[in-house]
Amino acid sequence: MTALARRAFQPGELRRRAAAGDVKLWASLLILVWAAVFMIWQGLGFAISIGSVFAIWAILAVSLNLVVGYAGLLSVGHIGFFGIGAYAAAILTSNASYEQLRTEAIPTFAWPFFAALPVSIALVGVAAVVVGVVLNRFRDDIYVLVSFGFAIIAFNVFLNGRGLTRGAFGVHQIARPAIGGWELTGELEFLILLLVFLALTVAVSWLIVTSSFGRVLTAIREDEQAIEVFGYRATHYKLAIWVISAMLAGLAGALFASWTSFIDPNSFILLESVLLVSIVILGGLASIWGSLLGAMAFVLLEEGMRFLPFLPAEYVGQARQAVLGILLVLLMLFRPQGLVGRYRL
Amino acid sequence: MSGGDGSGGSDDVRVDLPLEEIGLSKHFHSWENLYTGQDGLALETIGVSKSFGAVKAVDRLTLAIPRKGMTSIVGPNGSGKSTLMNLLSGTLPLDGGLVVIDEVGLKVVKPYETPQHGLTRTFQEVRLFDQISVWDNIMVVLTERRPFAALLERSKPGHRQKARGILQSVGLWEKRDVMAQELSYGQRKLLEIGRAMALDVDTYLFDEPFAGLFPQMLERVKDLMKQIRDSGRTIVFVSHNMDIVRELSNRIIVLDSGQLLAEGDVEPVLGRPEVIEAYLGA
Ligand SMILES: Nc1ncnc2c1ncn2[C@@H]1O[C@H](COP(=O)(O)OP(=O)(O)OP(=O)(O)O)[C@@H](O)[C@H]1O
Ligand SMILES: [Mg+2]
């Protein structure tokens, strides 16, 4: 009691707490204001395209945080599910009249986007069960390595499964969604669609993390052996959240494929997965808001660098990665829970 | 149950196993001596073993713990007390032998099934869910076990009321919104006992619940344990504090090098020459 009282009344402790509260508030404000200023400065067209990129990264980040932040499973293979979702949607909607012109034909289904979407997500779910059962056998460092392995395998399937994916040539002219007779060809319409799905993702994730299930996940993250003694089968919980998270990534993939209308294996390389993990950690583990902030900061960073006068356009990509890397190192040193996170690795 | 022939279902097992194999040859006196208690047995181990490399942490151990009251487990450092606890709760897999919980014989103890068998525990090194709130540390053991039902369950008034009662009885109600990692050592010990108490089971295993506590906290833990005992449940606890062992337990088990050195009523056992020697030698 006295020890605790002494600790609570130390001036350093008080300052530390005040500062901790401040960082959350200021980080959020800074990023939001930055986004607003940027969009007003660059105009509507820019806001629409940056908003779409943000929405896709945000769905991915929020879904990955369920696994990394809440369940404590550091997976760097998430991009694999994004890719499976994208390819599934691309192939299921692929158009026969277009595909006949190609030298290397892939199967054509010509489904409408909204028919292909649930099937793509379900296919990702099936893949996630298989990968999840394997991953559940591992822990800690080995877990990270095996999830790495999954991302590499997925990439190689996209690259070499030519009969399905047409390998490095990619899949072109992927259908845009249509509601009734109204095809969402405009960028603004598509942005709205993306934001609707982002809102759904956030809602589903919020319902999960605030349920009894979500509380058990955090306990598994903290001490798997201890929670098992209280009657919970940790492997079942881990598999369940893994599959849910993967399916949300699959949703992001299907939307991405339709949005860009062209995908090839280069969109699903390991590096993208690492960037995604960085976004989640940067924004804050075990915080949905953190993942939204992280995705926003990342997209602003990427786009912002285009406007640096001394930086040639071809270096923007590398510079973005370098900055992100430096930010991550600084964060791990000084704020391991990320900007607004509630859990430190 | 009549003292001589042990408890119903596991008779066959006892008859079938050669005494040598289950570690009974050395300390075997008579069945009467081993299986006591008018209320039957809460726990038994039959020839249970666990090794870590060359170290035989628990070595063909056969013992019985009567239902109700408090049984203490004592022994020098490294004598296998915590390993025994881990085997009973399924936290470590058995190398061999049989654990009988509530008269069900188990070769494999699945940790997530122990509450169904009526058992829960605390850990010697205090294992809380550090980065979640004190409140959630209690709530998490009250809620739905099945994943898909848990997805649909929001916090229930019944659970909240129970969690509140537990936190009040361990004196941590004021701390409910603090992360468990920010508690003092003594408060952490109390929270862990509270977390176990939140589970309504027949048998509680406490691994060194008094270690490192100041007198005031120590009294509090004692009171909580008495409260559990007085509600007709069984407590098994490990302790190095002989005063508390004498005060609280009505039965004692002494381990040495993973083997049973003595078991029985407290004073006679503590007076035996081999027990005194084990302690002086350690
Ligand atoms: N996880 C482990 N890995 C390797 N050896 C272990 C492990 N756990 C226990 N041991 C060894 O097994 C033996 C029994 O350990 P155990 O922790 O059960 O003893 P204890 O009676 O609880 O001791 P203490 O009074 O110090 O808590 C010791 O020699 C210990 O070093
Ligand atoms: Mg011990």
Side-chain angles (χ1 to χ4, degrees), chain A residues 223 226 229-230, chain B residues 81-82 84-86 89 91 119-128 188-199 201 203-211 221 224-225 228 235-238:
Chain A
D223 192 332
V229 174
F230 291 93
Chain B
K81 305 181 295 292
S82 296
L84 173 62
M85 291 282 190
N86 288 334
S89 70
T91 306
L119 187 90
T120 195
R121 67 169 298 180
T122 66
F123 295 86
Q124 181 172 357
E125 66 279 22
V126 191
R127 290 167 71 168
L128 295 171
R188 289 170 60 79
K189 275 264 189 233
L190 281 171
L191 181 58
E192 205 194 16
I193 291 171
R195 184 178 68 182
M197 284 171 67
L199 230 54
V201 292
T203 307
Y204 295 83
L205 310 178
F206 293 136
D207 198 348
E208 309 225 4
F210 308 107
V221 172
L224 288 169
M225 286 171 62
I228 297 173
I235 290 183
V236 183
F237 71 98
V238 174

Side-chain angles (χ1 to χ4, degrees), chain B residues 27-236:
Chain B
H27 304 290
F28 184 73
H29 304 293
S30 73
W31 291 117
E32 266 83 358
N33 234 348
L34 281 165
Y35 304 100
T36 59
Q38 290 84 41
D39 300 302
L41 300 175
L43 279 171
E44 291 167 86
T45 68
I46 301 172
V48 154
S49 295
K50 182 74 194 177
S51 299
F52 299 103
V55 180
K56 288 182 173 170
V58 168
D59 189 11
R60 292 165 301 161
L61 190 62
T62 297
L63 50 79
I65 294 165
R67 221 188 292 256
K68 302 201 171 158
M70 292 201 210
T71 300
S72 53
I73 299 182
V74 303
N77 289 108
S79 56
K81 305 181 295 292
S82 296
T83 304
L84 173 62
M85 291 282 190
N86 288 334
L87 295 175
L88 291 174
S89 70
T91 306
L92 284 174
L94 296 164
D95 283 354
L98 205 63
V99 169
V100 186
I101 309 178
D102 220 13
E103 302 183 358
V104 181
L106 303 164
K107 281 190 167 167
V108 177
V109 185
K110 293 175 181 157
Y112 49 84
E113 284 176 359
T114 52
Q116 290 164 30
H117 296 307
L119 187 90
T120 195
R121 67 169 298 180
T122 66
F123 295 86
Q124 181 172 357
E125 66 279 22
V126 191
R127 290 167 71 168
L128 295 171
F129 309 120
D130 279 333
Q131 297 196 47
I132 63 178
S133 67
V134 167
W135 171 256
D136 281 337
N137 264 271
I138 300 296
M139 280 295 279
V140 75
V141 302
L142 297 174
T143 50
E144 176 62 53
R145 261 63 177 171
R146 292 162 301 163
F148 289 100
L151 264 174
L152 301 175
E153 186 186 79
R154 325 291 300 172
S155 114
K156 282 186 177 165
H159 295 155
R160 286 205 300 272
Q161 213 176 327
K162 174 113 198 218
R164 184 184 173 131
I166 296 281
L167 285 177
Q168 281 167 340
S169 75
V170 299
L172 290 172
W173 175 244
E174 309 293 317
K175 293 273 169 201
R176 62 189 176 278
D177 293 327
V178 164
M179 270 196 194
Q181 65 184 2
E182 291 175 31
L183 297 180
S184 71
Y185 176 75
Q187 290 171 327
R188 289 170 60 79
K189 275 264 189 233
L190 281 171
L191 181 58
E192 205 194 16
I193 291 171
R195 184 178 68 182
M197 284 171 67
L199 230 54
D200 269 317
V201 292
D202 295 327
T203 307
Y204 295 83
L205 310 178
F206 293 136
D207 198 348
E208 309 225 4
F210 308 107
L213 292 184
F214 293 114
Q216 194 194 344
M217 287 281 190
L218 207 139
E219 288 306 320
R220 191 150 209 166
V221 172
K222 270 195 219 165
D223 288 343
L224 288 169
M225 286 171 62
K226 285 178 189 162
Q227 203 179 305
I228 297 173
R229 177 194 59 194
D230 294 343
S231 66
R233 265 79 76 87
T234 312
I235 290 183
V236 183

